[in-house]
Amino acid sequence: MKSTNIMRTSRIYEYSAYKPEYNFPGRETNQNPEAVFAEQFALSYQRRFIEIHSRTSKKQTLFIREVPISEHGIPDLLVFNWTYNTAISAISQFLLKDFTPTIRAFEIKISNWRKGLMQAHRYRYFSHASFLVLPWNKIRLVKAHLNVFKTLRIGLWLFAPESDRIINIFTPRPQKPKITKYTQKAIELTAKAISS
């Protein structure tokens, strides 16, 4: 029997949480440039996921923004991917023990790459790969520090919204998260968000 609670994997979900910054006057009309940049990146990455990760056998994806992971921050974007033969019809599938997605966490900044790097490093506790995404014109600023990204195993991608280009400077291979209980927490929070 087919479930009526179907995952819509073609959209980008957003974790709805109370955000006190929205209480400031004019906040709803003045969009944060970093939030716009993050949304543009998420849409571009979603369209080109298979092209970027052409060697993966896990081609089913789910994109969700701003999931708060206990003690480890709020990634701008979480991307789950898994094999096509995994049952994905019901939201409850996310909570099954045999559901084993690869989780990529992204911190997206338009400035202050050092802060972004530290935030992305925290995401390694629950994700299989963690990335910092910056505007393409920051390449000279960060390329000199590429060894730091490689040592910490944090991916470095650049994004040019004008041309819709994602530039891969360094992509670490997915590895087991540092603390798997936080991986399960990320899955549970995502399941809750997409079922509401």
Side-chain angles (χ1 to χ4, degrees):
M1 185 170 149
K2 197 171 182 180
S3 169
T4 56
N5 197 6
I6 302 295
M7 284 199 304
R8 308 268 187 252
T9 58
S10 60
R11 65 176 274 206
I12 296 175
Y13 291 87
E14 187 157 352
Y15 188 90
S16 54
Y18 173 68
K19 296 181 182 179
E21 65 268 23
Y22 290 139
N23 287 335
F24 294 113
R27 176 67 187 201
E28 61 284 345
T29 57
N30 298 327
Q31 264 199 307
N32 176 341
E34 196 161 85
V36 171
F37 181 74
E39 185 175 341
Q40 290 172 322
F41 169 77
L43 290 167
S44 181
Y45 181 43
Q46 184 185 43
R47 283 191 302 270
R48 306 195 9 244
F49 183 87
I50 299 301
E51 172 193 335
I52 291 170
H53 302 287
S54 59
R55 298 175 72 183
T56 186
S57 61
K58 297 181 174 184
K59 299 192 186 292
Q60 188 68 38
T61 62
L62 182 85
F63 284 62
I64 185 164
R65 299 202 49 222
E66 300 183 349
V67 178
I69 311 297
S70 308
E71 303 170 23
H72 298 294
I74 305 172
D76 291 309
L77 179 67
L78 277 182
V79 179
F80 297 78
N81 72 298
W82 64 97
T83 56
Y84 278 113
N85 60 6
T86 301
I88 59 160
S89 60
I91 298 301
S92 61
Q93 294 293 328
F94 262 69
L95 301 176
L96 293 177
K97 290 184 179 179
D98 63 349
F99 180 67
T100 55
T102 297
I103 302 174
R104 291 176 176 86
F106 293 83
E107 183 60 31
I108 302 167
K109 294 284 188 200
I110 56 174
S111 61
N112 200 346
W113 70 268
R114 286 180 174 87
K115 181 180 178 184
L117 175 65
M118 295 315 297
Q119 288 173 284
H121 186 257
R122 290 169 64 191
Y123 306 156
R124 290 202 51 227
Y125 282 91
F126 60 84
S127 69
H128 297 87
S130 183
F131 298 81
L132 176 62
V133 178
L134 298 168
W136 69 272
N137 59 2
K138 302 289 184 188
I139 189 164
R140 287 191 186 143
L141 186 65
V142 293
K143 208 163 183 183
H145 304 281
L146 185 56
N147 61 327
V148 177
F149 287 84
K150 289 182 175 180
T151 300
L152 295 176
R153 296 197 50 77
I154 303 300
L156 175 59
W157 288 3
L158 305 175
F159 177 55
E162 317 79 33
S163 58
D164 197 36
R165 285 185 62 212
I166 295 172
I167 303 148
N168 170 7
I169 302 299
F170 171 62
T171 299
R173 289 185 61 80
Q175 289 188 331
K176 183 178 178 182
K178 290 185 177 184
I179 303 179
T180 53
K181 75 174 181 178
Y182 292 116
T183 305
Q184 187 58 35
K185 185 69 175 173
I187 292 170
E188 288 172 6
L189 288 168
T190 299
K192 177 182 173 185
I194 65 179
S195 63
S196 59

